[in-house]
């Protein structure tokens, strides 16, 4: 049985833990990282959680997986342009709306990419999410959106999305409410059926619910 922490443990926490392990191991570019099993044991999380984090890091170009050999540390210094730009663009509080608008562009593009790709839209992961949405298990908002962006397999878009999410006014780290689950379910179904336009409409409807909830809290 896999070890597991609460599902609310955020991706960035896992990345931070992985970075600590890399530092403790004294790994340099080209060095092999510990196996999924070893990382899961050390971090006390499930192997599926480790696998997802490693897949995201690979899409970001920070690690590389060689079939039959393992996972190796890549040259992260080649991927700093977005961070440098973000330190200037995001200093102005008035730019937060632009941050949210840009984040939505990447999320919509990922939904359209998956909807229009027969292989991506029929991956088993979507059925797993549907089961969770229709059950009683709590789901963190960012879990679904992160998976959508990851599956689109656009490394630059994923990297930008992670950065924008940190500055977003949408509370991605919180648990979905019941009314959100219904809309998110419809989003997944439209995406799996290849209806990109309707899938994007359901996505917009979902975020409107979240933003409306956030505004209501601030007015109280």
């Amino acid at each position: 049985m896999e070890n597991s922490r609460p599902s609310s443990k955020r991706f960035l926490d896992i990345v931070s833990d992985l970075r600590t392990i890399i530092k403790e191991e004294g790994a340099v570019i080209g060095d092999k990282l510990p196996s999924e099993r070893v990382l899961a044991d050390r971090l006390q999380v499930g192997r599926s959680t480790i696998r997802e984090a490693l897949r995201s890091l690979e899409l970001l170009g920070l690690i590389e997986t060689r079939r039959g050999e393992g996972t190796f540390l890549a040259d992260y210094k080649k991927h700093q342009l977005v961070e440098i730009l973000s330190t200037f663009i995001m200093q102005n509080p008035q730019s937060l709306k632009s941050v949210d608008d840009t984040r939505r562009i990447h999320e919509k593009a990922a939904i359209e990419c998956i909807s229009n790709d027969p292989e991506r839209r029929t991956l088993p992961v979507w059925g797993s999410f549907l089961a969770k949405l229709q059950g009683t298990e709590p789901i963190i908002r960012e879990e679904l959106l992160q998976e959508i962006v990851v599956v689109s397999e656009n490394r630059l878009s994923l990297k930008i999305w992670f950065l924008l999410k940190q500055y977003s006014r949408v509370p991605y780290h919180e648990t979905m409410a019941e009314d959100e689950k219904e809309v998110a379910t419809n989003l997944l179904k439209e995406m799996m059926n290849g209806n990109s336009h309707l899938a994007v409409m359901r996505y917009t409807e979902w975020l409107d619910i979240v933003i409306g909830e956030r505004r209501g809290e601030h007015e109280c």
Side-chain angles (χ1 to χ4, degrees), residues 59-165:
L59 286 171
L60 291 172
L62 302 178
I63 62 174
E64 60 177 329
T65 300
R66 303 171 192 168
R67 183 170 297 180
E69 296 183 46
T71 304
F72 299 80
L73 190 63
D75 187 359
Y76 65 91
K77 293 181 180 179
K78 296 179 180 179
H79 304 273
Q80 300 300 304
L81 178 59
V82 176
E83 286 93 335
I84 293 172
L85 290 175
S86 69
T87 61
F88 292 94
I89 296 172
M90 298 179 182
Q91 288 300 314
N92 185 351
Q94 296 180 350
S95 67
L96 288 176
K97 183 180 184 303
S98 296
V99 169
D100 282 338
D101 290 345
T102 305
R103 192 206 70 253
R104 285 195 182 210
I105 290 172
H106 287 275
E107 291 167 355
K108 288 179 181 178
I111 291 171
E112 291 174 345
C113 171
I114 295 169
S115 299
N116 295 324
D117 187 309
E119 183 176 351
R120 289 190 176 100
R121 70 174 182 247
T122 55
L123 289 173
V125 67
W126 309 128
S128 298
F129 269 110
L130 281 177
K132 290 181 181 179
L133 287 166
Q134 294 166 1
T136 59
E137 180 181 351
I139 301 180
I140 306 302
R141 290 166 178 154
E142 67 181 346
E143 291 179 356
L144 176 55
L145 285 172
Q146 177 182 309
E147 191 66 34
I148 288 173
V149 179
V150 167
V151 171
S152 71
E153 295 188 348
N154 185 319
R155 292 191 178 189
L156 181 57
S157 181
L158 177 64
K159 189 172 183 63
I160 293 172
W161 182 81
F162 274 123
L163 289 167
L164 294 174
K165 182 169 66 69

Side-chain angles (χ1 to χ4, degrees), residues 13-46:
D13 295 329
I14 295 290
V15 172
S16 178
D17 291 343
L18 289 174
R19 182 174 60 182
T20 298
I21 289 178
I22 290 171
K23 184 176 180 180
E24 291 174 350
E25 296 283 338
V28 297
I29 295 169
D31 281 357
K32 186 176 181 179
L33 301 182
S35 67
E36 288 180 7
R37 180 183 60 78
V38 171
L39 291 173
D41 288 341
R42 290 180 65 171
L43 299 182
Q44 290 297 290
V45 297

Side-chain angles (χ1 to χ4, degrees), residues 1-4 41:
M1 181 179 295
E2 292 185 345
N3 295 319
S4 62
D41 288 341

